[in-house]
Structure formats: C-alpha cells, structure tokens
Amino acid sequence: MIKAVRGVHDILPAEAAAWQHVEATARQVLETHGYREIRLPIFERTELFARGIGEVTDIVQKEMYTFEDRAGDSLTLRPEATASLLRAYIEHGLHVQPKPVRLYTMGPMFRYERPQAGRYRQFHQLDVEALGEEHPAVDAELMMMLVELFRALRLADRLQLEVNSIGDAACRPAYRERLAAWLRARAGELCEECRGRIDRNPLRVLDCKNPACRPLLDTAPAIRDALCAPCAEHFARVQRYLDASGLSYVVNPRLVRGLDYYVRTTFELTTTDLGAQNAVAGGGRYDGLIEHLGGPPEAGNGFAIGLERVVLLLGRQQAVEAARPVALLIPLGEAALTRLLPLAEAARSRGVAVDLGYGARRLRAELERANKLGIGHAVIVGDEELTRGEATVRSMTTGQQRGVPLDKLPDELAALRGQP
Ligand code: ATP
Ligand code: MG
C-alpha cells in the first residue's frame, strides 16, 4: 500500500466540518473588516522567497521544498504566503487602489520540518495583509481583528496576545550588535542552534524554545530600551489603541519573528493548550518589503494563522455536525427505484438532504441503516404503494406510519426538515 508522505496529512470527512466552520467564520470576520480574497499559486520562483523571506532565515536555509522544472528553472513550493501575495500585488498594480489595500488568502504551505503534533510539512495558513498604510492604527486594528476572529470561534479565552517592537533600520543595527556581543560573551551557556545564530541572526536567538536557554535569554538586553524615537512613538501609539479597545495583551520583549523583513510591531497569538507548538498566529509590520520586491516604497502589515492548530484547539467538543439527511428513501424493487430516483433529486434540488437505497437490500437491512446513520424518517415504496400511488412515511423514533401521495413527496420531505 502506498501511504501519504511523512509530515503531510489528509483532512478526513469527520474533520472537514470543523475546517469549514473555521474558514466560514474567518471569511465573515475578514469581510466585515474590508478584506478581500486573493487566490495565489502554490509554487513560485525560488528567488522570490529567498528575497522576500530573507537568506538567513530558517525557512530559506533549511525548510524549503525547492526543485527544478523541466526547463531548468528553480521553483519552490511556497513556505508562506506574504511573498507571493506581494508579488501579485506588485505584478497586477493593485497598489493604485485607495490605501490600505486589504487582502487575505488561505491555503497549503510547505516546509521541510521535523513532523510532530501541530507541526507538519504541508500545513494551512490564513494569511492577511494590509498594504500601503504606515499609521500605527493599522497594527492595532489587525490585532483587534485577529482576536475578534478567535472570539467568533469561542477560542479567545484560551489564547494570549503578545506584542513587541523590534525597531527599524535606524535603531535595530546598533541593538543587533550589542545583543550579538552580549550573546558571544555567553555562547558557552547556549544551545548549539543558538550559537549558530549569534552572527547570522542574533535577534532570532531570543526566540529559542530550548528550556535550557530560556533563563539566560530572559536577561538579555531588551530592544525596548534601544528603540529610536519614531519607533518608540509608533509602539506607544499601537499600545494606546489596544488599551482603548480593552484588548488584553502582554508586551513580550523577546518576541521576534523568524522572517527577516519585520520592522517595528511584531505580535503573536499563543496558547498553553498545544504543548510545544504554542504559536497559533504571528505577524507584524514589514515596511520596505514591497519596495525590496520591486514595488513602490510602501508600508506593509499582516499576520498568518496556522489553521491546523486552530482546528486542534477546537477539538472534539466543538466538532460541527455535518448535515444529516431528513429521510432515507427505500424502494423495494426496480420499479419503485425508478419512481423514487427523480423524487429524491427533486427534494435535493430544493435543498432538502435525502438518502436513497437502491432496492438491492431487504427492508429490515435498510431500516437498520437509517438507524445507524441517525436518519429520522424512512420513506418506503413497494409494489403495493406503487399501485396506490403512495409512499409509506415512517418515523424512525416512534415507528408511526402514514401514506403520502408520491407526487406530494418532495413537499412532504421539505416539511420534515427540522423535525426529529
Ligand atoms: P513556529 O515558531 O511554530 O515554527 P513560525 O514562526 O515558523 O512558527 P510563521 O511563519 O509565523 O510561524 O507562521 C504562522 C503560523 O503558522 C504559526 O504561528 C503556526 O501556527 C503556523 N505554522 C508554522 N509552521 C507550521 C508547521 N510546520 N505546521 C503547522 N503549522 C505551522
Ligand atoms: Mg517555524
């Protein structure tokens, strides 16, 4: 038997309802906030990600699915959506629209990571971007929307919003040097991964999940004290807007993002309910990235939600039931089947879900099937019923039966909807 590739997973029918619920809720919240969907390709030129995510990031250095196509072009399965979304934004001139341009997209992402619960090689993200607006209110509004989405899913009380500012090109380089020197002096106390990052990407060291590194890293110089005046002012205003909205959040001075291009505001939505995989969503501001990808010098801002982790949080308790048929139509023989097939279709075309036996099983077996599927009514048509032009409608709960003219059956089935 050929099995699925390690780290990728099927979403089975029993889970699909929860996925649809998350997606529908997200669309509703996003659209009331003025976001419009954009659908993007799953692979792009490798250089787009190298440039858009950053050469020194984990993603680009070791997590990408990169391949050559038959023409020898280097292509990569997208590890995240922002780079593709900005590529499309620039390519199609979407930046001529009034700002901010609000876009979202959903779909699979691909990263070569060590698979474990909540961490896969193909996973799904909802990606949201607000483009072309520098105002700090956008940062706050994005976080408010993110939390609102989880409120709508009744998950907000299991999540914490963490916020930080990581400065910009004016203040970060000096902080980066100071931090690197501080880390170098203590390299012996850090894990191998941290040591490897000190020179490449020292801010990322702060993000280390290794419990052995945490106590030391918590005493590292905080960027908050190194922000330039405009960055400090921006961060203060973001917090003022969040406070005014009553949103609860914590400032986490160690919160940096894995991707290179973030400036100023970064944020994460975390949970203690999923073990080591504690980040459910992450985002922040990336002014300068659009220009870096060949577009106009515009601000950018956004976040991505890991949908597997949302579905895991929803768990079984909120499993959303799939629509159950109102009746099982049971033809006893070929003539009855020929009569019932179009009647079933007529009911379905009115939006009434019905199931149909094909006349191959005995009545008893069909009634058992209706019980197993939890269907409330059986509609039985045998030769006798056919001569009378009637169906026998039987309640599976009470066993009560009554005759219904066959040509009235679609109406009758519609009326049964919503009855036990
Ligand atoms: P992590 O620290 O968990 O590796 P990240 O910083 O790499 O996360 P982002 O690139 O910010 O994650 O992606 C946003 C969200 O996508 C994460 O918060 C997480 O919920 C989800 N995510 C990231 N990688 C995976 C994965 N391999 N499998 C499942 N979900 C993932
Ligand atoms: Mg990661």
Side-chain angles (χ1 to χ4, degrees):
M1 189 190 55
I2 301 174
K3 291 195 172 170
V5 174
R6 187 167 133 81
V8 316
H9 64 114
D10 301 302
I11 295 166
L12 299 175
E15 302 155 303
W19 281 83
Q20 288 172 7
H21 175 59
V22 171
E23 289 162 4
T25 307
R27 284 181 197 284
Q28 213 267 316
V29 171
L30 284 159
E31 285 178 20
T32 45
H33 286 79
Y35 285 80
R36 292 177 59 206
E37 183 174 16
I38 180 166
R39 298 194 184 202
L40 301 163
I42 278 169
F43 58 91
E44 301 270 0
R45 294 181 178 285
T46 302
E47 61 196 270
L48 175 70
F49 300 118
R51 202 190 298 180
I53 298 173
E55 293 282 4
V56 303
T57 56
D58 284 354
I59 293 182
V60 172
Q61 291 203 334
K62 52 186 193 200
E63 295 176 359
M64 294 209 301
Y65 278 96
T66 297
F67 58 98
E68 263 187 21
D69 73 2
R70 287 166 195 276
D73 290 324
S74 179
L75 305 177
T76 294
L77 299 182
R78 62 179 182 191
E80 53 105 54
T82 306
S84 308
L85 189 143
L86 297 185
R87 195 251 327 124
Y89 175 77
I90 298 164
E91 184 171 340
H92 303 288
L94 302 181
H95 56 273
V96 303
Q97 295 172 30
K99 304 291 165 44
V101 177
R102 298 185 171 101
L103 299 169
Y104 75 92
T105 194
M106 286 192 229
M109 308 294 155
F110 306 84
R111 295 184 194 177
Y112 191 80
E113 299 201 73
R114 199 167 65 77
Q116 48 193 297
R119 187 172 294 285
Y120 308 93
R121 290 180 173 173
Q122 173 173 340
F123 61 100
H124 297 75
Q125 282 184 344
L126 164 60
D127 186 73
V128 178
E129 314 288 352
L131 306 173
E133 178 58 66
E134 275 174 43
H135 203 287
V138 178
D139 314 30
E141 197 180 29
L142 272 171
M143 287 184 251
M144 286 155 65
M145 179 173 75
L146 177 63
V147 171
E148 175 54 31
L149 205 163
F150 283 91
R151 246 185 233 138
L153 291 169
R154 299 177 204 285
L155 291 174
D157 53 353
R158 293 164 68 189
L159 295 165
Q160 178 155 58
L161 178 64
E162 301 183 22
V163 190
N164 192 23
S165 172
I166 56 167
D168 64 4
C171 52
R172 193 163 54 210
Y175 169 73
R176 193 189 138 109
E177 278 321 303
R178 219 172 93 216
L179 177 66
W182 188 92
L183 292 167
R184 239 175 264 125
R186 292 160 184 80
E189 298 165 61
L190 293 168
C191 71
E192 203 187 313
E193 210 169 0
C194 283
R195 284 202 299 273
R197 281 174 174 155
I198 293 177
D199 294 310
R200 266 192 293 129
N201 195 354
L203 265 72
R204 185 75 162 112
V205 175
L206 294 178
D207 194 31
C208 179
K209 305 261 162 40
N210 191 331
C213 298
R214 285 300 347 150
L216 178 65
L217 293 177
D218 287 340
T219 65
I223 190 156
R224 182 175 17 194
D225 311 318
L227 294 179
C228 60
C231 283
E233 161 72 7
H234 186 97
F235 194 36
R237 287 177 75 180
V238 171
Q239 291 181 74
R240 203 185 312 145
Y241 301 138
L242 291 179
D243 292 339
S245 77
L247 209 67
S248 82
Y249 65 94
V250 292
V251 175
N252 174 359
R254 323 278 160 226
L255 179 66
V256 296
R257 307 280 315 133
L259 316 186
D260 247 6
Y261 47 67
Y262 284 91
V263 295
R264 296 189 170 170
T265 314
T266 62
F267 54 93
E268 231 171 57
L269 211 51
T270 57
T271 175
T272 49
D273 294 359
L274 293 178
Q277 279 18 279
N278 66 343
V280 175
R285 179 170 276 282
Y286 48 81
D287 303 350
L289 179 62
I290 296 174
E291 185 174 20
H292 185 59
L293 290 173
E298 284 183 352
N301 220 330
F303 63 75
I305 302 177
L307 295 178
E308 274 76 5
R309 296 183 192 176
V310 178
V311 171
L312 278 171
L313 276 179
L314 275 179
R316 248 167 257 125
Q317 105 256 5
Q318 300 214 11
V320 192
E321 289 259 341
R324 201 178 277 169
V326 298
L328 173 64
L329 312 191
I330 307 174
L332 303 174
E334 189 58 22
L337 173 63
T338 312
R339 185 79 174 89
L340 276 182
L341 203 49
L343 291 172
E345 230 18 66
R348 289 162 176 162
S349 76
R350 296 168 55 167
V352 183
V354 298
D355 198 351
L356 175 69
Y358 302 124
R361 276 179 290 257
R362 289 169 184 283
L363 179 58
R364 256 243 321 268
E366 288 291 11
L367 292 175
E368 259 169 39
R369 195 158 78 92
N371 268 331
K372 253 189 211 144
L373 294 171
I375 298 176
H377 294 84
V379 175
I380 305 157
V381 179
D383 291 339
E384 258 175 56
E385 280 92 350
L386 271 185
T387 2
R388 290 204 307 272
E390 269 188 11
T392 299
V393 175
R394 176 189 169 100
S395 160
M396 296 301 294
T397 37
T398 64
Q400 262 175 3
Q401 303 197 151
R402 63 203 156 82
V404 171
L406 279 170
D407 49 8
K408 293 267 152 46
L409 195 58
D411 289 333
E412 181 67 20
L413 291 168
L416 285 178
R417 202 167 24 175
Q419 285 181 26

